[in-house]
């Protein structure tokens, strides 16, 4: 079918004659001394022509056809493209959607490598490459001839970061994994309601650098701030129809530009360069406070959704290369988001690696958490630990020195890959999340209701101990226990307060009939669904909250806290608040007394991890063969005797003691006593050579006697509680 022509709003520049290169992709500005303008390279391997359109303030376009194409990359020099210029791309070629050819020069496309973005997506028929009606539904076979200019975002040409903001040697904290405590947060959600942040800064990048926010993070003791996506993004069609937005930002529009919506009004008014500088300044301020910055990045899919979605960038440039298709040539979605990038294509791997390097080199980013990373490690035969992208993370001179964390699954065939990623990738441990929740919540509910502890394989104390010890059943023990990034909650699912307050999700505000979100959050409402004034229920919930936090922060591995959990933040039982850019998702800093107490306890637990180095890596000598590692976790029953096979397999047993042993390194040892039963018990402290006395350091219950106890003495441990003692 013929491609529709587009109107010409401005002059078409002659084909450039200057020598350019097909790499790097995107816009590279030339100094005025070299004649100015910019070299542009665009991957469009199946196109017949590519035009760069510089858009003036009046909306008129000056177009330059890129003259050269090498290995699918069109490139050339564009004289009129300068610092601050707004630009888009128009691509000519065949229209054959069944073969992944969606070239339509009527659509002004965003450069996926743009360093700045201006404007938003208007939800109108013009932004679709195929013909649609007012309901935005139509026929993929018919290309749409209406011009999308004025309804889509534009790229903004930006040069290198200004000299005073460039990343300096020694600026980054470089916190070792053993001392890392991650704090997952949303730029807007964390700061929008903070009373000590000036109103004009709330909800912005600049707010993260405000002294009140820095003080909270440093006093809490976290070492790394993991930000939900800050890549420029937009909202899905189905959300826009319901008057909602994609608050979380897992819907990437441009991969090298910070999202303008998180910048202050002043920065947005000043333009893309000011937005970029605001975010870079925030990263530098966090570094100055000793806090690393990790970005949650979404390279697995884009905002263009399924085949009937909008025509904004990659779809019009080179859908056949960028998007995953099955053996029959049909779109193949392994993300559940409508499309998936094809990491079996070398150009897609290059695209992602270039973007990652950009964030490290230009902004000083310290690491990345990869959303649905299994998609990024799929080759032609599916997931492979030898995937080129994973190899590059080990060997690339820029990326090998930063942190990498996988969300180790996607929704495609054989997508769950927890424990299968090679170094240097660390992994979100969903087995930790599920096992710890079961132990303290759903199993505890069964015990409290008189049903007895579940007698399922691997449950009870065995699973608790396995998770506490670093999940050796999941991760390669030769890498050490720090491979596991432990978490009890994350942005996706119940908050910690809701985990102990709701048995069922309450997602009605999302407008999907409460069908969205997980149907099983392994939660326990402690007898009442949602808010209550019952003091016994509230006490039980607060005790369970502390038990979960203690397990998270004392276990082997790298702990990750979710923003607001230390404050008892609730989302009213919404376990999928991705579309709630309002008080449901924003952290409320107006704290009741019980919330201040919870914050104090969380600070104490993080401080314990710092005070006692033996908790940071549990003595594992990383890189040594297993046979050379001594047994540094010692397990005991309530009578002070060691755990036996029979005791481990006794489903009714709910008391456990573990000594995290630091003797051979000259470190203080820590004793953690767990009573997950319904009765208070006297527990005999274990006798271990060289460990004569234990000093109380923390308890999840209000009864916090500070008397030291000798090995072999009984210690009264309340029901449903954790106690922490140490030898010094």
């Amino acid at each position: 079918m013929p491609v529709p022509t587009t109107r010409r709003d401005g002059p078409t520049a002659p084909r450039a004659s200057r020598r350019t290169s097909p790499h790097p992709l995107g816009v590279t500005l030339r100094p005025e001394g070299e004649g100015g303008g910019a070299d542009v390279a665009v991957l469009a391997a199946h196109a017949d022509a590519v035009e760069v359109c510089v858009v003036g303030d009046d909306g008129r376009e000056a177009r330059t056809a890129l003259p050269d194409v090498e290995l699918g990359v069109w490139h050339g020099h564009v004289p009129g493209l300068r610092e601050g210029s707004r630009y888009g791309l128009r691509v000519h070629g065949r229209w054959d959607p069944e073969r992944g050819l969606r070239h339509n020069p009527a659509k002004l496309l965003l450069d996926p490598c743009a360093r700045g973005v201006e404007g938003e997506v208007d939800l109108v028929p013009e932004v679709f490459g195929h013909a649609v009606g007012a309901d935005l539904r139509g026929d993929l076979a018919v290309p749409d001839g209406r011009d999308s200019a004025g309804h889509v975002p534009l790229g903004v040409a930006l040069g290198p970061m200004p000299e005073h903001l460039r990343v300096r040697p020694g600026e980054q904290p470089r916190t070792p994994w053993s001392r890392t405590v991650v704090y997952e947060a949303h730029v807007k959600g964390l700061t929008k309601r903070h009373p000590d942040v000036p109103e004009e800064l709330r909800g912005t990048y600049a707010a993260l650098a405000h002294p009140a926010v820095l003080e909270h993070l440093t006093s809490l003791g976290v070492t790394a701030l993991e930000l939900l996506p800050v890549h420029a993004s937009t909202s899905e069609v189905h959300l826009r129809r319901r008057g909602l937005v994609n608050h979380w930002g897992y819907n990437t529009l441009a991969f090298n530009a910070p999202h303008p919506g998180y910048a202050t009004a002043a920065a947005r008014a000043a333009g893309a360069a000011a937005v970029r500088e605001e975010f870079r300044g925030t990263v530098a301020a966090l570094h100055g406070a000793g806090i690393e910055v990790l970005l949650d990045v979404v390279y697995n899919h884009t905002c263009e959704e399924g085949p009937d979605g909008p025509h904004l960038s990659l779809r019009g440039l080179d859908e056949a290369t960028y998007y995953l298709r099955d053996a029959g040539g049909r779109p193949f979605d392994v993300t559940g988001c409508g499309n998936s990038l094809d990491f079996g294509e070398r150009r897609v791997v290059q695209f992602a690696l270039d973007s990652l390097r950009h964030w490290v080199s230009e902004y000083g980013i310290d690491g990345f958490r990869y959303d649905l990373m299994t998609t990024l490690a799929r080759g032609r035969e599916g997931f492979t630990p030898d995937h080129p992208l994973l190899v590059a993370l080990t060997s690339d001179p820029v990326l090998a020195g930063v942190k990498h964390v996988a969300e180790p699954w996607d929704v495609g065939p054989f997508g769950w890959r927890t424990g299968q990623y090679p170094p240097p990738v660390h992994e979100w441990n969903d087995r930790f999340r599920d096992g710890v929740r079961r132990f303290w919540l759903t199993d505890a509910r069964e015990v409290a209701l008189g049903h007895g502890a579940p007698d399922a394989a691997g449950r009870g104390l065995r699973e608790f101990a396995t998770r506490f010890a670093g999940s050796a059943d999941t991760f390669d023990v030769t890498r050490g226990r720090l491979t596991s990034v432990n978490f009890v909650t994350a942005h996706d699912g119940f908050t910690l307060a809701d985990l102990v307050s709701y048995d069922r999700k309450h997602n009605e505000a999302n407008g999907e009939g409460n069908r969205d979100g997980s149907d099983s959050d392994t939660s326990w409402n402690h007898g009442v669904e949602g808010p209550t004034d019952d003091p016994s229920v509230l006490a039980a919930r607060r005790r369970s909250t502390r038990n979960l936090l203690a397990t998270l922060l004392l276990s082997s591995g790298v702990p990750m806290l979710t923003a607001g959990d230390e404050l008892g933040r609730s989302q009213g039982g919404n376990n999928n608040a991705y579309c709630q850019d309002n008080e449901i998702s924003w952290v409320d800093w107006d704290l009741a007394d019980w919330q201040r107490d919870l914050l104090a306890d969380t600070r104490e637990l993080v401080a314990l991890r710092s005070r006692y180095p033996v908790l940071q890596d549990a003595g594992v000598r990383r890189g040594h063969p297993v046979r050379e590692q001594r047994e540094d976790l010692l397990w005991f029953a309530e009578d002070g005797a060691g755990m036996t096979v029979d005791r481990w397999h006794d489903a009714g047993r709910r008391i456990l003691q573990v000594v995290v042993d630091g003797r051979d390194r000259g470190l203080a040892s820590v004793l953690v006593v767990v009573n997950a039963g319904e009765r208070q018990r006297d527990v005999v402290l274990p006798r271990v050579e060289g460990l004569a006395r234990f000093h109380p350091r923390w308890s999840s219950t209000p009864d916090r006697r500070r008397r030291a106890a000798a090995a072999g003495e009984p210690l009264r441990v309340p029901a449903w509680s954790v106690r922490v003692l140490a030898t010094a």
Side-chain angles (χ1 to χ4, degrees):
M1 178 166 292
V3 177
T5 59
T6 182
R7 73 179 191 276
R8 302 263 177 181
D9 288 333
T12 300
R15 287 176 175 264
S17 59
R18 292 192 185 189
R19 184 174 181 83
T20 61
S21 169
H23 189 76
L25 296 177
V27 170
T28 303
L29 296 175
R30 287 193 179 186
E32 291 299 326
E34 298 178 14
D39 297 341
V40 180
V42 177
L43 176 64
H46 298 84
D48 293 335
V50 175
E51 292 178 305
V52 179
C53 308
V54 180
V55 182
D57 292 339
D58 59 359
R60 291 173 61 83
E61 299 175 13
R63 302 180 185 176
T64 300
L66 298 178
D68 300 316
V69 58
E70 297 178 48
L71 301 176
V73 177
W74 293 82
H75 59 98
H77 185 76
V78 181
L81 189 57
R82 303 179 183 277
E83 179 88 22
S85 294
R86 300 179 304 155
Y87 72 101
L89 305 168
R90 294 190 186 271
V91 180
H92 301 257
R94 292 182 59 190
W95 182 270
D96 188 353
E98 289 190 1
R99 297 183 58 194
L101 304 177
R102 303 279 288 272
H103 307 113
N104 186 339
K107 307 305 168 182
L108 188 60
L109 305 176
L110 180 68
D111 177 6
C113 300
R115 296 185 172 195
V117 172
E118 181 180 303
E120 299 180 355
V121 177
D122 293 334
L123 195 59
V124 294
E126 286 86 343
V127 304
F128 291 79
H130 60 288
V132 300
D135 62 355
L136 306 183
R137 294 180 173 89
D139 186 351
L140 288 179
V142 180
D144 181 76
R146 290 169 289 191
D147 199 325
S148 66
H151 302 288
V152 292
L154 296 171
V156 180
L158 298 175
M161 194 73 69
E163 180 65 31
H164 70 283
L165 285 173
R166 292 185 185 174
V167 181
R168 307 294 182 189
E171 171 195 316
Q172 294 163 278
R174 302 291 186 191
T175 307
W177 277 110
S178 60
R179 293 198 291 108
T180 297
V181 178
V182 180
Y183 187 81
E184 186 200 45
H186 185 281
V187 172
K188 186 174 185 180
L190 180 63
T191 64
K192 183 62 176 176
R193 303 179 69 183
H194 201 302
D196 297 329
V197 175
E199 188 170 356
E200 66 273 14
L201 300 184
R202 294 176 193 168
T204 71
Y205 299 125
L208 297 175
H210 189 273
V213 176
L214 294 178
E215 192 279 332
H216 178 75
L217 296 174
T218 55
S219 67
L220 188 57
V222 299
T223 68
L225 178 63
E226 180 179 305
L227 295 174
L228 268 65
V230 300
H231 289 177
S233 63
T234 190
S235 296
E236 297 89 337
V237 171
H238 72 92
L239 289 178
R240 302 278 289 275
R241 284 175 173 150
R242 298 202 303 272
L244 298 171
V245 298
N246 189 318
H247 172 59
W248 288 350
Y250 292 88
N251 210 41
T252 308
L253 176 67
F255 292 84
N256 290 349
H259 185 58
Y262 297 152
T264 58
R268 293 197 304 273
V275 171
R276 175 181 70 166
E277 292 169 18
E278 183 176 298
F279 181 58
R280 167 60 192 137
T282 291
V283 173
L286 287 159
H287 285 165
I291 297 171
E292 293 185 309
V293 179
L294 313 182
L295 298 186
D296 194 336
V297 289
V298 186
Y299 294 102
N300 58 79
H301 76 281
T302 76
C303 65
E304 292 182 310
E305 305 184 54
D308 59 349
H311 200 92
L312 305 172
S313 184
L314 300 184
R315 174 160 289 144
L317 291 173
D318 196 354
E319 178 176 274
T321 296
Y322 277 112
Y323 288 130
L324 183 64
R325 305 175 81 83
D326 66 17
R330 295 175 295 272
F332 188 36
D333 178 19
V334 297
T335 67
C337 301
N339 66 64
S340 303
L341 288 180
D342 185 359
F343 279 83
E345 286 279 356
R346 281 173 284 183
R347 285 296 191 185
V348 175
V349 175
Q350 173 199 346
F351 172 69
L353 292 173
D354 286 350
S355 176
L356 292 168
R357 294 187 197 99
H358 170 74
W359 290 98
V360 174
S361 301
E362 288 289 290
Y363 291 90
I365 296 303
D366 303 281
F368 304 92
R369 179 267 188 188
Y370 299 87
D371 184 63
L372 300 181
M373 194 177 193
T374 296
T375 301
L376 280 61
R378 285 185 181 271
R380 289 289 171 243
E381 304 300 322
F383 172 86
T384 170
D386 297 322
H387 191 281
L389 182 130
L390 299 179
V391 172
L393 298 186
T394 302
S395 57
D396 185 272
V398 174
L399 300 178
V402 302
K403 291 181 164 71
H404 302 284
V405 179
E407 182 184 36
W409 51 80
D410 65 16
V411 300
F414 308 103
W416 186 81
R417 295 289 177 169
T418 305
Q420 299 178 41
Y421 282 80
V425 178
H426 295 240
E427 301 178 42
W428 269 23
N429 187 353
D430 53 318
R431 283 184 165 174
F432 182 95
R433 174 197 63 197
D434 297 343
V436 170
R437 286 182 179 187
R438 274 195 297 265
F439 182 78
W440 284 117
L441 298 177
T442 53
D443 287 0
R445 176 177 57 203
E446 295 302 299
V447 172
L449 294 175
H451 300 161
D455 192 16
R459 296 283 285 275
L461 291 182
R462 282 174 292 159
E463 182 168 36
F464 175 87
T466 300
R467 303 304 153 222
F468 186 94
S471 297
D473 63 336
T474 304
F475 299 102
D476 182 355
V477 294
T478 63
R479 288 190 61 190
R481 297 171 180 146
L482 295 172
T483 305
S484 174
V485 176
N486 299 331
F487 66 107
V488 174
T489 67
H491 64 276
D492 189 3
F494 281 148
T495 67
L496 188 57
D498 288 351
L499 197 63
V500 301
S501 303
Y502 293 90
D503 281 354
R504 303 179 303 279
K505 64 185 180 184
H506 296 267
N507 298 355
E508 291 79 7
N510 297 353
E512 299 181 41
N514 206 36
R515 294 184 299 273
D516 62 304
S518 173
D519 291 323
S520 176
D521 255 323
T522 326
S523 59
W524 179 25
N525 66 16
H526 292 78
V528 177
E529 186 75 356
T532 181
D533 292 327
D534 187 319
S536 63
V537 173
L538 292 174
R541 289 176 177 177
R542 292 166 190 172
R543 182 182 57 220
S544 290
T545 297
R546 286 167 169 79
N547 291 336
L548 291 163
L549 282 171
T551 305
L552 170 65
L553 290 165
L554 300 175
S555 292
S556 296
V558 179
M560 185 188 81
L561 291 162
T562 303
D565 277 355
E566 75 278 16
L567 308 174
R569 180 177 76 93
S570 172
Q571 293 181 164
N574 192 322
N575 74 352
N576 190 35
Y578 78 107
C579 56
Q580 299 299 325
D581 184 12
N582 50 46
E583 286 81 359
I584 292 175
S585 293
W586 302 339
V587 174
D588 184 357
W589 295 87
D590 184 14
L591 307 182
D593 288 343
W594 70 268
Q595 292 173 294
R596 295 188 185 90
D597 291 342
L598 177 61
L599 174 58
D601 270 334
T602 309
R603 286 170 171 160
E604 282 190 51
L605 285 166
V606 177
L608 282 175
R609 191 176 183 89
S610 177
R611 177 178 177 181
Y612 294 103
V614 73
L615 293 172
Q616 296 173 3
D617 60 7
V620 173
R621 299 175 183 137
R622 298 203 297 168
H624 286 237
V626 176
R627 64 180 180 273
E628 294 185 13
Q629 295 178 11
R630 69 174 185 79
E631 196 166 313
D632 55 288
L633 297 176
L634 311 177
W635 306 94
F636 301 92
E638 68 275 7
D639 59 1
M643 292 291 288
T644 63
V645 172
D646 289 342
R647 286 178 165 184
W648 281 120
H649 286 268
D650 180 356
R653 187 174 294 277
R654 300 286 289 173
I655 298 177
L656 183 66
Q657 302 184 79
V658 54
V659 172
V660 188
D661 188 2
R663 287 173 297 167
D664 75 341
R665 291 187 292 162
L667 300 173
S669 297
V670 174
L671 171 63
V672 180
V673 184
V674 171
N675 181 1
E678 58 184 332
R679 293 188 295 114
Q680 176 176 277
R681 297 287 298 272
D682 285 335
V683 175
V684 178
L685 300 184
R687 296 181 183 274
V688 179
E689 183 179 352
L691 306 182
R693 295 185 70 77
F694 295 95
H695 304 271
R697 294 294 178 243
W698 189 86
S699 173
S700 64
T701 61
D703 178 20
R704 304 180 183 195
R705 292 179 299 168
R706 295 295 180 179
R707 182 179 64 83
E713 285 188 14
L715 176 72
R716 183 150 296 178
V717 182
W720 316 113
S721 71
V722 174
R723 289 208 163 187
V724 184
L725 305 94
T727 56

